[in-house]
Amino acid sequence: MSDEEIQEFIKSIDYNNDGYVAYKDVERKLDDVANEIDPLPKEHHLHHHERKASDRHAFLRAVLGTDKDRIPNEDFATKVRKWNIPSLRQEHQKDTEASDFLKHLSWSRKLRSWWSVEGPQVCFLGVVVTVQIAFGVWQLVKYLTTPPFTAGWGWGVVVAKTSAGVLYPTMFFLVLSMSRWFATFARQFYHLSQFVNWDRSQSFHIKMSLVAVVFATLHAIGHLTGSFVFGSTSSRRDVVMNVLGQEMSYGDYVASRPGWTGITAIACFYLIGLFSMPPVRQWSYEVFQLAHLLIFPMMAMLIVHGTRGMFQSPMLGYFLAFPTVLVLVERVRRMLLGFKKIPARLVVLDEETVEITMSIPKTHWFPYEAGQYILLQVPQLSFFQWHPFTISTVSDGEAQVHIKADGDWTKRLRDFGKEGKKLTHVGIDGPFGAPAQRFYDFDYTIVVGAGIGVTPFSGILSHIQQAQDDQWRNIRRASRPSSRRSSFSRQRTPQPDSRAHSTARESEKTETHDPLRHRRCDFRWIVKSNDNLLWFSDLLNEISISHFTTVEHSPIFRRHSLKQRQLQEYKTKPNPNLDIRITTYVTEKRKEIATHVYRHLLEAHRTPSHPKSPLTGLINPTELGRPDLAGILHDHYEDMLQLATERKQVAGESLDDDLEEKKRRVGVFFCGPPVIGEELAARCEELTLRGRADGSKLEYRFMIEVFG
C-alpha cells in the first residue's frame, strides 16, 4: 500500500485519535469488518460462536505485532508496510492492464481471440441459419415460378411451402438436439467439437423450438386462411382438377390426411410450448416432462403429413426419421431403466448439500469418469423426474454425485435425508459426455473458471488425486514383498504406463520424482464473494490436505508448518508425481481501506490447529481481485521448460516421441466472462508461438467450455 493508504488505514483504527493503535482498537475494527463482510458467521470465521477466544486473540496479536496493549502509530505503520498488502490502486491497475492488453492487440489477434471464445457457436449457428434460408428460398422460388400453384391456391401456398422449407432442417436439428447419446458420441471427435458446442444443446434446442413454432404457425396460416380458401373457390376449379385430379371444398382440405395430421401436430406443438413455460416448470416439473412426450405423436403426425404428396413428393419424413427413432429409443430405454433398481445411499453433508453414492451398473455404453454427468431418478420422490448431475468421483465400482439444494426437487431430496428416511435405490441413465472429459487428454492442464461452471473439474481433481494416490501406493507395496500379504493386497492395482519405466525401475524410483510420470493441474477458480467458495469447500480442502504431503514446497505448508501427525491421517507417503495447485480468487471489491486490509489479513492468517482461512474457509490460498493471467501463464511456461529438461536428463535418447509430444501439450480450459476468455485465448496463442520460436514446441490449447 502507499504511505497515504497506510495513514488512512491507521486513522480508521485509531478511534480516539490519541496517536496510538490499541488492542481494543484492532478488535473493534475486526468486529466492524466482520459484520460488514459476513453478517451471518460460518464455522471458520473468527467471530463464530464456536471459535475459541484464543483463536481470535492470536489473530489480533498478530495484527498488532506486540504483546503490549498499544503501539505508536509510527511503529504500527512500519509493521503495516511489511505486510505487503496490495494497494487499492494496484487492483484497479490490474484490471486496466488486462483491458490494455486486448486493446493493443492487432486486429487479426483480436479476431482470433474472439473466435476462440465465440467462434464455434457463431459458426455453427451461421451454418444452421444458412441451411434454413437455403431450403426456404428453394421452396419460395419453386412455388412462385410454377404457374399452377399460384393460379390454383394463391399466396397461401407460397407462404405455407416457404415456411415448410425452413421447417425441414429446423425440425431435424430440434429433435436431434434432444439426444444425449448423439452428443456424447460426437463429443469424442476433437475437431468436430471445436466447431459444435455440445454443451449449449439445451439453449440450441430452445432456439430451434422458437423458430419452429413461428414457421409452423405461418405454414398453418398459409394453408388455413390462404390456399384452402383459394383452392375451394369455383373460379379455380379447373386448375385444382388438373393438379390434384379432383375438386375439393374447404372441408375436404381440412379432412384430408395433410389437413388433420397438420392440425393435430401443431396443436401438440402448442401444448408442448405452453407446458414448457418457466411458471409451469416451477409449478410441476412432472407436467413439463410428461408434456414433452407429445413430441412423439407430433413427429408421427408430421411424418404422415406429407405422405399424400399433394403438392410434391414427401420430404419431412426423411429429415425426421433418424433423429426421431434415436430419441424414441433413448427415451424408451430411460423409462425401462426407471424400473432397474440401483443400490444407493444418501448422506446429508450440510444444510444445502447432499451426497448420493450409487453402484455403477454392470452394463453401460460409455465408461464412467468423473466430470461426466448422469440422469438421476429417485423413485421415492418421483418416478417420472430425471435430473442431470455431474459425477464427482468414481472408485471401487461406485459413483458419487454431490447435489446442492437450489430447486424444488433438490430441496425435497435434502429434506428426505434430513428427516432420516433411507434411500434404498435410484435409477441411472448415462453416463453422458461433458466438456470436462477432454481433461483426460492432457497430463498438464490449466482450469480457469468462474462461478458454478467449474463443477465438473472439481470432481475430476478429486478423482485424479485418488486414482494417482492409489496407483502410487500399489507401486510402493509392490517394491516391498512383505507388504503383499497385507489387507491392502485385495485392492485392484492399476496398470502402469508402459511408456514410462519397467517394474524394476518403478521399485527403484518409489521415493523420487519421475518427470516421465509427472502430472500437473492448475485450478484457478474465480468467484464474486467469499460465500461462493463454500460450494466446494469440503472437496477443495480434502484435496489440499491430501496434497500437502505430495507437494511439501506448498506455500501453505512452508508458512504454517502443519503437524506431521495431522498430515499422516490422510496419507502414509507422498506421491511426488502429482502436482495439483489450487488458487481461488474473490473479485468483490471494497472501497473502505480498513475492510480491504482486514480481508487480506484474515485470508493470510492460519495456525497449525486451524489451517483454514478465517475469511474463506479454504486451506488453499485465495487472492482478492482478478487473476494475473500474464504472470500465471509465464510462470507455468517456465515450469514446463524445466520439466522438459528433466525428462531429457532422465530418458536421454530413449525418450519416447509420442510421450514427449503429449507432455508438450497443455490443455487450457475456460468457463466464464468472454472478456477474460479472449485475454486467455490471446495469451495461450502467445505462448504457443513462443514455443515454436525457442524450439521447445510447447503448445497451449485453449478450449472454451459451457456448463449447465
Side-chain angles (χ1 to χ4, degrees):
M1 294 189 296
S2 65
D3 290 340
E4 181 182 350
E5 288 176 320
I6 292 175
Q7 293 303 319
E8 182 182 353
F9 169 62
I10 294 175
K11 184 179 180 180
S12 68
I13 293 182
D14 185 7
Y15 285 95
N16 55 10
N17 197 25
D18 61 353
Y20 287 87
V21 175
Y23 180 93
K24 291 184 178 180
D25 293 335
V26 177
E27 184 177 29
R28 180 178 175 182
K29 181 55 68 175
L30 172 64
D31 292 336
D32 292 343
V33 172
N35 291 327
E36 177 188 349
I37 62 179
D38 293 299
L40 299 175
K42 310 296 189 302
E43 291 182 0
H44 59 273
H45 293 142
L46 291 177
H47 58 296
H48 189 268
H49 68 276
E50 293 185 359
R51 288 296 293 267
K52 296 179 180 178
S54 58
D55 298 333
R56 179 184 174 92
H57 177 73
F59 173 77
L60 294 172
R61 282 298 175 193
V63 174
L64 196 59
T66 179
D67 292 333
K68 299 178 181 179
D69 289 337
R70 63 179 190 169
I71 183 175
N73 288 354
E74 296 79 8
D75 294 344
F76 188 66
T78 302
K79 294 181 181 297
V80 173
R81 292 187 184 93
K82 294 179 180 179
W83 292 343
N84 292 322
I85 293 177
S87 167
L88 284 170
R89 298 188 187 93
Q90 285 179 304
E91 293 190 357
H92 176 71
Q93 183 180 0
K94 191 186 296 185
D95 296 341
T96 304
E97 288 175 353
S99 178
D100 290 343
F101 171 77
L102 292 174
K103 288 180 180 178
H104 290 92
L105 289 177
S106 63
W107 281 106
S108 60
R109 289 281 304 281
K110 287 181 180 179
L111 181 60
R112 288 197 297 271
S113 299
W114 176 85
W115 185 260
S116 297
V117 176
E118 302 290 350
Q121 180 188 17
V122 172
C123 188
F124 179 64
L125 286 178
V127 171
V128 171
V129 172
T130 300
V131 173
Q132 290 172 323
I133 293 175
F135 275 89
V137 170
W138 165 52
Q139 292 284 277
L140 173 65
V141 172
K142 176 180 178 180
Y143 284 91
L144 271 180
T145 58
T146 306
F149 294 120
T150 52
W153 292 273
W155 61 267
V157 71
V158 177
V159 171
K161 300 308 291 184
T162 300
S163 300
V166 176
L167 285 172
Y168 295 151
T170 302
M171 296 303 297
F172 172 81
F173 288 119
L174 184 152
V175 180
L176 190 63
S177 63
M178 297 170 62
S179 173
R180 299 179 188 268
W181 287 353
F182 182 80
T184 301
F185 172 76
R187 192 189 293 274
Q188 301 176 41
F189 301 96
Y190 175 78
H191 294 292
L192 180 61
S193 295
Q194 291 294 97
F195 173 69
V196 182
N197 196 330
W198 306 106
D199 313 310
R200 285 194 168 110
S201 60
Q202 182 178 359
S203 173
F204 177 72
H205 176 77
I206 295 173
K207 291 183 177 71
M208 291 298 100
S209 299
L210 293 175
V211 173
V213 166
V214 170
F215 282 95
T217 302
L218 289 176
H219 180 78
I221 291 173
H223 278 316
L224 295 175
T225 65
S227 60
F228 288 4
V229 175
F230 286 105
S232 59
T233 58
S234 58
S235 61
R236 302 174 187 257
R237 183 181 305 166
D238 294 338
V239 178
V240 173
M241 281 287 295
N242 290 333
V243 176
L244 301 182
Q246 67 181 69
E247 295 183 19
M248 296 187 69
S249 65
Y250 189 91
D252 293 333
Y253 283 112
V254 173
S256 66
R257 190 189 309 161
W260 69 267
T261 56
I263 293 172
T264 304
I266 199 169
C268 290
F269 207 178
Y270 286 155
L271 285 174
I272 294 173
L274 175 65
F275 290 120
S276 298
M277 300 296 288
V280 177
R281 293 186 60 174
Q282 294 174 5
W283 169 65
S284 175
Y285 192 80
E286 278 136 337
V287 170
F288 160 74
Q289 287 199 323
L290 291 173
H292 259 65
L293 295 178
L294 290 173
I295 189 72
F296 299 111
M298 185 184 88
M299 291 298 109
M301 292 296 103
L302 291 179
I303 291 173
V304 174
H305 182 65
T307 56
R308 168 74 184 274
M310 185 175 290
F311 296 119
Q312 66 182 28
S313 59
M315 292 191 62
L316 188 57
Y318 296 113
F319 283 90
L320 293 179
F322 168 71
T324 301
V325 170
L326 181 63
V327 173
L328 178 62
V329 172
E330 193 173 325
R331 293 300 176 91
V332 170
R333 181 177 182 271
R334 185 177 306 160
M335 182 184 67
L336 296 177
L337 288 174
F339 295 98
K340 185 176 181 179
K341 298 180 179 180
I342 304 297
R345 57 186 182 273
L346 181 145
V347 177
V348 179
L349 299 180
D350 54 42
E351 290 296 322
E352 299 297 329
T353 311
V354 299
E355 174 190 88
I356 293 181
T357 304
M358 66 212 80
S359 300
I360 295 177
K362 294 182 179 179
T363 57
H364 45 85
W365 291 8
F366 301 101
Y368 276 73
E369 293 178 338
Q372 293 187 317
Y373 73 95
I374 58 172
L375 289 174
L376 183 68
Q377 174 217 47
V378 180
Q380 291 166 271
L381 295 183
S382 172
F383 181 82
F384 295 102
Q385 292 198 37
W386 295 78
H387 294 272
F389 297 104
T390 299
I391 300 174
S392 300
T393 58
V394 177
S395 177
D396 298 327
E398 292 185 329
Q400 279 187 347
V401 295
H402 291 80
I403 302 173
K404 184 178 177 63
D406 58 1
D408 292 339
W409 187 87
T410 52
K411 288 179 180 177
R412 287 173 57 197
L413 180 65
R414 177 202 59 192
D415 295 340
F416 177 87
K418 292 178 68 175
E419 292 169 2
K421 297 179 181 178
K422 183 179 179 181
L423 179 66
T424 57
H425 63 277
V426 296
I428 301 176
D429 189 10
F432 301 106
Q437 72 185 57
R438 280 177 279 178
F439 186 94
Y440 294 97
D441 296 337
F442 302 90
D443 283 347
Y444 296 98
T445 52
I446 300 174
V447 177
V448 180
I452 198 69
V454 295
T455 302
F457 291 106
S458 62
I460 282 181
L461 290 182
S462 178
H463 174 71
I464 288 179
Q465 177 84 54
Q466 181 176 351
Q468 292 285 93
D469 289 349
D470 288 346
Q471 182 175 4
W472 180 250
R473 281 192 293 268
N474 285 321
I475 290 175
R476 294 186 66 251
R477 290 191 200 102
S479 67
R480 294 177 173 84
S482 61
S483 67
R484 294 178 184 174
R485 293 188 294 272
S486 69
S487 61
F488 292 103
S489 63
R490 294 190 296 271
Q491 298 182 6
R492 182 175 61 88
T493 304
Q495 295 295 321
D497 190 342
S498 61
R499 295 174 298 186
H501 291 291
S502 65
T503 304
R505 194 167 185 179
E506 288 166 359
S507 300
E508 297 173 2
K509 288 188 171 288
T510 53
E511 310 297 332
T512 61
H513 164 69
D514 183 356
L516 298 182
R517 288 185 178 274
H518 185 259
R519 295 192 68 175
R520 171 174 165 180
C521 174
D522 290 61
F523 184 84
R524 311 272 174 172
W525 185 21
I526 308 168
V527 296
K528 183 177 181 181
S529 68
N530 305 331
D531 290 341
N532 300 145
L533 295 173
L534 299 178
W535 293 337
F536 305 112
S537 59
D538 291 341
L539 182 60
L540 295 182
N541 284 336
E542 181 181 346
I543 297 171
S544 296
I545 294 176
S546 178
H547 205 57
F548 276 151
T549 56
T550 302
V551 186
E552 296 190 4
H553 60 268
S554 165
I556 302 234
F557 188 91
R558 289 200 314 268
R559 191 188 313 161
H560 305 291
S561 301
L562 296 181
K563 296 178 181 179
Q564 191 66 21
R565 179 182 59 80
Q566 292 176 295
L567 301 176
Q568 293 302 326
E569 293 177 1
Y570 296 89
K571 296 197 319 183
T572 59
K573 195 66 179 177
N575 179 355
N577 299 320
L578 178 63
D579 189 356
I580 297 178
R581 306 188 182 189
I582 301 174
T583 307
T584 46
Y585 301 84
V586 177
T587 58
E588 187 176 26
K589 297 179 180 179
R590 301 286 180 173
K591 296 181 179 180
E592 294 293 331
I593 187 65
T595 306
H596 171 75
V597 173
Y598 267 81
R599 289 173 74 208
H600 281 84
L601 294 176
L602 288 167
E603 159 52 28
H605 180 73
R606 288 168 174 81
T607 64
S609 59
H610 289 281
K612 299 178 182 179
S613 163
L615 180 70
T616 65
L618 296 177
I619 294 174
N620 64 265
T622 297
E623 296 185 14
L624 304 179
R626 63 179 292 171
D628 176 17
L629 296 179
I632 291 170
L633 292 175
H634 172 77
D635 292 343
H636 191 278
Y637 189 92
E638 295 298 325
D639 291 344
M640 292 293 293
L641 291 178
Q642 178 63 32
L643 287 167
T645 302
E646 292 178 6
R647 287 195 298 272
K648 291 180 181 178
Q649 291 174 349
V650 170
E653 297 297 329
S654 62
L655 183 61
D656 187 280
D657 291 339
D658 292 338
L659 176 62
E660 179 61 15
E661 182 180 354
K662 182 180 181 182
K663 293 290 186 182
R664 288 196 297 258
R665 293 198 305 266
V666 179
V668 182
F669 297 85
F670 170 74
C671 175
V675 63
I676 299 179
E678 291 176 21
E679 180 189 355
L680 187 59
R683 295 194 184 277
C684 287
E685 183 183 17
E686 266 189 357
L687 292 183
T688 300
L689 294 174
R690 178 180 169 185
R692 295 173 186 172
D694 62 20
S696 65
K697 298 182 181 179
L698 291 174
E699 182 181 353
Y700 284 72
R701 291 191 176 183
F702 174 82
M703 282 163 280
I704 179 73
E705 306 292 356
V706 179
F707 306 91

